[in-house]
Amino acid sequence: MAARRDWPFLIALALLFALFAAIQTRLTWYSIEDGIHVTQTVRFPFQLSDYRRSITNVRKEAASAGLAEGGLLESIDGTSVRGPGPLVRQIESHHVGDRISVTVSRAGEPVAASIRLAPESETPLSVGDWVLRMLLDSITPWFCIFLGFFVAFLRPRDILAWLLLLLLLSFKDLAPSDQLRLTTLAWSGWMRPAAIFLFSMLSSSWPIAMLLFGQYFPDRNANGRWDRVLRWTLAAPLALLALTGAVAKLATMDDATAMSAVTAVFTRLQTPIVIVAVAATSTFFFNLSRKMAFARTRDDKRRLKLLYLGTTISLTPLFLIVIFTLILRTQIVTSEWVLVPALVLLFVFPLTLAYVIVVEKAMELRVAIRQGLQYALAKRGLRVLMAIAIVILIGIALRIVTDPAVRRPQQIIALSVMVVIVLRLRNFAEYSRAWIDRRFFREAVNAERVLNELGESVRSIVAVEPLLATVTKTISTTMHVPRVAALLGENGGYAPAQSVGFASAPQVKFAAASPVAERLARSREPERVSLARPDSWVTQESADRKQLEQLQTELLLPLAVKDRLLGFLSLGPKLSEEPYSPADVQLLASVAAQTGLALENTRLTEAVASEVAQRERLNRELEIAREVQQRLFPQGGPEIPGFDYAGKCRPASSVGGDYYDFVAMCDGRLGIAIGDISGKGVPAALLMASLQASLRGLAIANPPALSTLMENLNRLIYDASPSNKYATFFYGVYDPQSREFSYVNGGHNPPMIFRGPDVLRLEDGGPVVGLFGPARYTQASVRLQSGDTLVLFTDGVTEAMNDQDEEFDEPRLIQAVRASNGLRAAELIDRIIQACDDFAAGAPQHDDMTLVIARVL
């Protein structure tokens, strides 16, 4: 339902993105082409002030021809020019070196001037010039467009996402050069008014976006009295002026006399507008400081801190450049080698804004560093950053010392400041290297090692209470999580079975149909819980909210086996209040998965022990297990005309690890399976039961390919068994209509087809099941003929030994089958087992013996 309500916003965003992308693509192309032909591109000798015809930004070639700022432009080359649009078109119609005749009106008197048009640059662009041009005209605008729309598409109904989009789009239009802005006036078609309007509107919207973002961040609530007052007294007038100014610029771009009244108004309001814009921008920092002091939640405080630090890091370099320029009264600190790093740092500001909006839970600065750096690069990275900073400072120092315009006292002050900065940088770098090594990475490595060991050790714990106690205490200690609770299913719900960090056992219970239980059962993935966020999946009306608040839950880990949710772990906030990183969640999910398997094994063991105790206590345990296993073998199968089949398993002890099965398909086909579990006794029998359940569950779906079935079966057995447990397994399907027998052999003794004097072996397939994670299998088929005898067996038959340690082996098996030709399948099985017993001559049976015989009549 929420996704359906998002469609209007998403459509609007898509249309806006298409508009901005089209305009920016044209601007980027012009910027690159202009940079390539910079020596052939005509430079505008002067410009016209907004909404008026008065000349401004007079260049050297225009000044030498006698033009000065303030004159009213009348004509160029005899053509009347009354606005910036015609001016741009006239200039761009000429080439470098051409002369133009300009007539201006000064004090009511016309003044004529002949201007020789100069190139935008006498020399091709240097590397530094290219970097600066691409950064200002291409990289920054595209970065702002993509980042702003990305966040808005992620959260289309979040007011902060839209404010961020407005902020980034206005930030984008503060960067391009005047030459790039003026070129839009020469465009034709719909893109010309759209670009002019958006340039004007958005470049005036920066203070509005800053004011509103400061009000609505982080709780998206700005209903206070002072918030409303500031919106009406600052934002509303600025928005009205921005809109009016954009409309006026459209109206005056071809004829500045069309709106002389508006021109007069904007001229008088220029200073008040600047004051109001500065005041609106200042409220952003004021709100940031105020809310940081009175933040309602710790997460809000972290977000505000991150935003404050990101803003400081991003804007401080440019602020220092401005201060140095004002103190020294020179432009020496505005070269590309100083400006480019400062402009690159500006990207930190929008990235920080996007992070604090999108992230589920904000991180402390130290945590962001840990997740953003690798240990091997941390120290080197700090050295590189220090070297870059020192090189920049040395470059500035050399420029200051060699510039004759800078007086000696100013040089001494500037150099002293730089020496202090270098010394502080060295101390900061040394401290940072030690701090990163000590505080972050060793601790993270230790936590990962301990949790990995925990995941391995829980497999050997067979009692629920010590299992959960070990898991909760280890997670609490290793991850620095004071409150951890393990909840298990009981009486139609989930209640705490073990907890750490609570004064008393939490009195909570989640119903089996509760939103939390259903979400975990459905996803079987870790779920983050952010109760403070309004867009959290745990809504205010949720019945589970109070219980999660009592547990102080921040992360839920399902304890699941296959399609059953056995319970879940509730983890509270860390001592450091940092959020759980993706690496933390992945590691904890692995521990939870192993714990779920251990719980299932524990429950299975307890169930078997309980059943045995009820029947005949300890002395009847193996007999009961034998009976259970025998019941797992097929007691019969569907009668298939023209096809005689039977199977038998004789375990070496009370319970065994051999397995065979007949699976009746709904379309009349018959599945035939045989397997041999590694090991003996109860563990092998339990894995055999798991193998049988998994096969029947997969086969009942009637998959189109047996190879796919075998791959899925391998993955299930791999996930549910210890690493040293596996099974050789053969599975085939017989179609009585076509007599086609399709099969896959998973590392099992190849079954044999006796056809006259020939013996065919069914070997195609793949590795044993349960030993490797992902594995590939191939499927094969053979068409059976009347008189064919299919013999499937385990190695307990061919490896039956006599007292001379000789094996029965396959040649004797083949001989026994040929000697019993004409018998029914069940009789042939008995005859083969009798032949093995005769060969063993009373020697004990060391392995389970299983045979499946099928004959085509």
Side-chain angles (χ1 to χ4, degrees), residues 520-532:
L520 292 174
R522 184 172 58 253
S523 70
R524 283 180 294 218
E525 295 289 340
E527 295 286 350
R528 297 179 186 270
V529 177
S530 182
L531 299 175

Side-chain angles (χ1 to χ4, degrees), residues 463-788:
V464 174
E465 187 174 345
L467 170 66
L468 295 179
T470 301
V471 171
T472 54
K473 289 179 181 177
T474 304
I475 291 177
S476 177
T477 303
T478 306
M479 302 296 294
H480 306 297
V481 181
R483 292 176 179 81
V484 180
L487 296 90
L488 295 183
E490 61 172 29
N491 300 325
Y494 297 90
Q498 190 74 34
S499 60
V500 174
F502 296 90
S504 59
Q507 300 301 311
V508 298
K509 186 169 184 178
F510 295 84
S514 65
V516 167
E518 288 185 344
R519 188 180 181 94
L520 292 174
R522 184 172 58 253
S523 70
R524 283 180 294 218
E525 295 289 340
E527 295 286 350
R528 297 179 186 270
V529 177
S530 182
L531 299 175
R533 290 183 65 87
D535 55 349
S536 172
W537 63 269
V538 183
T539 62
Q540 295 288 341
E541 299 78 19
S542 173
D544 298 336
R545 188 177 184 87
K546 289 185 178 180
Q547 302 183 83
L548 292 172
E549 288 175 346
Q550 185 176 342
L551 293 172
Q552 300 183 23
T553 305
E554 283 199 0
L555 184 66
L556 293 171
L557 302 170
L559 304 174
V561 174
K562 297 181 180 177
D563 59 346
R564 291 188 298 120
L565 180 67
L566 305 179
F568 54 89
L569 297 174
S570 167
L571 277 63
K574 294 183 179 182
L575 277 175
S576 61
E577 297 183 4
E578 65 187 80
Y580 292 93
S581 68
D584 292 339
V585 174
Q586 184 178 2
L587 197 57
L588 290 166
S590 174
V591 172
Q594 297 297 333
T595 304
L597 289 174
L599 280 173
E600 180 66 9
N601 292 336
T602 299
R603 290 179 179 237
L604 183 58
T605 303
E606 290 176 350
V608 171
S610 175
E611 184 180 352
V612 169
Q614 290 175 2
R615 293 194 179 188
E616 202 176 337
R617 299 294 178 184
L618 296 178
N619 60 338
R620 287 278 297 159
E621 179 181 355
L622 293 179
E623 185 61 25
I624 292 172
R626 176 185 174 86
E627 293 172 5
V628 171
Q629 186 178 41
Q630 288 300 320
R631 286 199 296 271
L632 293 177
F633 290 122
Q635 305 304 307
E639 186 175 341
I640 299 177
F643 193 68
D644 178 30
Y645 63 97
K648 185 174 184 178
C649 175
R650 190 175 78 178
S653 57
S654 298
V655 291
D658 277 10
Y659 162 62
Y660 77 94
D661 204 357
F662 301 121
V663 183
M665 306 289 185
C666 60
D667 56 1
R669 296 184 300 160
L670 178 69
I672 301 175
I674 189 169
D676 186 358
I677 313 299
S678 64
K680 296 181 177 63
V682 174
L686 292 176
L687 185 54
M688 171 260 187
S690 176
L691 179 62
Q692 187 232 31
S694 300
L695 172 64
R696 285 184 170 266
L698 292 170
I700 199 171
N702 199 12
L706 296 184
S707 57
T708 302
L709 180 146
M710 188 69 85
E711 290 169 2
N712 292 333
L713 181 68
N714 172 71
R715 189 180 70 254
L716 291 173
I717 299 304
Y718 178 84
D719 291 340
S721 62
S723 59
N724 61 341
K725 292 294 181 184
Y726 61 91
T728 64
F729 187 70
F730 178 93
Y731 181 67
V733 175
Y734 175 70
D735 188 348
Q737 300 297 324
S738 63
R739 291 187 174 180
E740 190 81 9
F741 185 70
S742 303
Y743 68 91
V744 179
N745 191 337
H748 193 73
N749 302 81
M752 295 181 288
I753 297 177
F754 290 82
R755 180 176 292 169
D758 299 323
V759 177
L760 308 178
R761 299 178 187 273
L762 308 182
E763 301 176 340
D764 295 334
V768 297
V769 298
L771 185 60
F772 309 103
R776 307 293 296 179
Y777 294 85
T778 57
Q779 175 180 331
S781 63
V782 61
R783 190 178 298 276
L784 300 181
Q785 302 175 6
S786 295
D788 284 356

Side-chain angles (χ1 to χ4, degrees), residues 349-369:
F349 180 58
L351 283 173
T352 306
L353 290 173
Y355 172 80
V356 296
I357 292 175
V358 174
V359 73
E360 186 73 18
K361 180 181 179 183
M363 293 188 296
E364 295 283 4
L365 182 61
R366 61 189 183 87
V367 183
I369 294 173

Side-chain angles (χ1 to χ4, degrees), residues 204-226:
S204 305
S205 300
W206 170 269
I208 304 171
M210 292 285 282
L211 182 147
L212 294 177
F213 196 94
Q215 287 190 349
Y216 283 95
F217 182 79
D219 54 7
R220 296 161 177 82
N221 181 15
N223 294 321
R225 183 179 63 181
W226 283 109

